Amino acid sequence: MDEQWMIGQPSPTLSLGLNLGRPTARRAVTTKVLVEEDFMSVKKSHEVEALEAELRRVGEENRRLGEMLRALVAKYGELQGKVTGMMAAAAATQQHQSSTTSEGGSAASPSRKRVRSDSLETAGGNRNPSPPLAAAGSGQFAVTVAVGPDQTECTSVHEPSKRVRADECKPSRVSKSYVHADPADLSLVVKDGYQWRKYGQKVTKDNPCPRAYFRCSFAPGCPVKKKVQRSADDVTVLVATYEGDHNHGQPAAKHEGAKKSDASAGAAVRISPPAPVVQLQQQQQQQQQLKQEAAAEAERKNLAEQMAATLTRDPGFKAALVSALSGRILELTPSNS
DNA sequence: CGTTTTTGACCGGCGC
DNA sequence: GCGCCGGTCAAAAACG
């Protein structure tokens, strides 16, 4: 019979009975009394002995599982620490290289650049010789942020030397933004509140959709660039890659870029169509969702670990388990007078 | 007329 | 050394 009970009532029954804080607690008290009166006074039957053995076995298994879970979490934390350390070491090495080789390289071999570009660059580049410290909050679209806002020296190197490879000296901020767009709309425009000037378009090898290159045109010396390309997997998704920090604040909400001169925007301020706002919200929602999911996962792991530790250490857990099991036994066994 | 977009050409890095 | 490829330039066209 006990075998039938165990087969017919698998683990859900156990889990139901383990809700310590639920109204079954009151029933557990009464059932405990019943257990003591009915079962303890009477000679233990072999069924009860089998149940107790099963109970011990389940408790032991639960304890083992808890230990395994703790070990797993500990190993996970250890591995995560190693990864973090390796990434920090790589970032430190990269920063050191960029602060030495890039500065020296741009000064030692200026002939690497185009001649006409250098003349233009020196003429206009002095307008903003040092990158301002502002725009620390401009990374609001960042999904993957490479470095922190304190590493602005890389930007100062990056601006005068135009053809610095991205892996030699990464811009101070590289972030990606995914925007859902109408596939019928062929324009590669991602509304993010800034003014952008398109300076090139290219069809890349790994994606049939062309990639558009934009510069921030709100401030003359703003080093921020943006690449926009439709996702190869989903053409309805626009992937915008931002490089660098804005050296100005976010412009006031008005028509972004698209064939609107600043002179016309001064007097007649029109309310922007809702589409930019919607896309902006979509970007922020996606990023918030990613962060929330990561946080929720970490919280779940932490919660599971705490639950395992609490349950295995709590001396009342076994008593509660006994009461719960006994209560279920009394419920399921036909009342024998 | 000033600004922005388009688009072919050019440049430099990288792999073979 | 050569070709490929991504990024950029700049003249011409388009636009308001």
Side-chain angles (χ1 to χ4, degrees):
Chain A
M1 178 183 176
D2 50 354
E3 291 295 324
Q4 287 178 349
W5 180 83
M6 287 302 295
I7 293 173
Q9 303 290 332
S11 55
T13 307
L14 289 175
S15 63
L16 281 176
L18 289 179
N19 292 322
L20 303 178
R22 291 181 60 180
T24 54
R26 187 181 54 190
R27 186 187 299 169
V29 175
T30 59
T31 53
K32 190 175 182 180
V33 175
L34 286 174
V35 166
E36 288 175 354
E37 286 180 359
D38 295 345
F39 288 169
M40 298 302 178
S41 60
V42 185
K43 186 179 177 178
K44 281 186 178 178
S45 64
H46 61 282
E47 294 178 1
V48 176
E49 289 177 0
L51 280 175
E52 284 183 348
E54 185 68 22
L55 186 61
R56 281 192 295 272
R57 190 188 64 80
V58 170
E60 183 67 21
E61 187 177 347
N62 185 49
R63 192 179 60 80
R64 283 203 311 269
L65 286 173
E67 289 175 356
M68 285 171 62
L69 184 62
R70 278 198 301 275
L72 194 67
V73 171
K75 281 204 167 189
Y76 174 79
E78 184 182 348
L79 282 174
Q80 199 171 29
K82 283 183 181 178
V83 170
T84 305
M86 288 170 66
M87 289 179 67
T93 306
Q94 215 164 38
Q95 184 182 358
H96 180 260
Q97 285 178 349
S98 67
S99 63
T100 56
T101 59
S102 296
E103 285 181 2
S106 61
S109 61
S111 61
R112 266 175 36 194
K113 311 295 176 293
R114 299 184 189 182
V115 178
R116 61 172 187 260
S117 303
D118 277 346
S119 60
L120 286 176
E121 197 64 28
T122 48
N126 288 333
R127 299 179 63 178
N128 189 15
S130 63
L133 299 176
S138 67
Q140 54 182 334
F141 307 105
V143 175
T144 57
V145 178
V147 291
D150 52 340
Q151 293 176 325
T152 54
E153 58 173 347
C154 218
T155 309
S156 66
V157 175
H158 176 74
E159 186 179 0
S161 62
K162 286 194 292 186
R163 290 199 179 267
V164 177
R165 288 188 54 219
D167 45 3
E168 274 182 10
C169 173
K170 287 187 179 176
S172 61
R173 195 181 292 273
V174 176
S175 62
K176 275 192 175 182
S177 175
Y178 299 88
V179 179
H180 187 65
D182 187 4
D185 185 12
L186 297 178
S187 66
L188 294 170
V189 176
V190 174
K191 315 273 186 175
D192 50 17
Y194 290 93
Q195 272 186 298
W196 299 97
R197 183 179 179 275
K198 188 178 180 180
Y199 66 91
Q201 181 166 319
K202 202 75 171 176
V203 176
T204 56
K205 183 185 172 186
D206 54 346
N207 194 334
C209 301
R211 174 186 296 170
Y213 300 90
F214 295 91
R215 273 200 195 93
C216 181
S217 62
F218 184 73
C222 184
V224 180
K225 293 178 203 166
K226 178 172 83 168
K227 289 182 285 190
V228 180
Q229 189 174 29
R230 291 188 182 274
S231 173
D233 299 329
D234 188 359
V235 295
T236 65
V237 175
L238 283 175
V239 182
T241 305
Y242 296 85
E243 296 181 7
D245 287 327
H246 291 279
N247 59 3
H248 54 86
Q250 184 161 6
K254 58 183 178 185
H255 275 104
E256 188 263 332
K259 296 168 185 174
K260 275 285 179 185
S261 63
D262 288 344
S264 65
V269 178
R270 292 185 180 179
I271 303 299
S272 298
V277 181
V278 170
Q279 287 174 341
L280 196 63
Q281 287 174 349
Q282 282 177 347
Q283 289 176 348
Q284 290 171 349
Q285 283 175 1
Q286 284 175 353
Q287 289 151 21
Q288 279 187 352
Q289 193 174 350
L290 284 174
K291 287 181 183 177
Q292 285 174 357
E293 283 176 359
E297 191 176 30
E299 193 172 355
R300 280 199 299 271
K301 286 177 181 174
N302 192 18
L303 189 63
E305 185 186 10
Q306 285 183 356
M307 282 179 62
T310 304
L311 289 178
T312 50
R313 287 173 193 162
D314 188 7
F317 173 65
K318 285 188 177 179
L321 194 62
V322 169
S323 297
L325 280 174
S326 303
R328 292 298 294 177
I329 292 169
L330 288 177
E331 281 181 5
L332 292 171
T333 50
S335 61
N336 45 1
S337 68

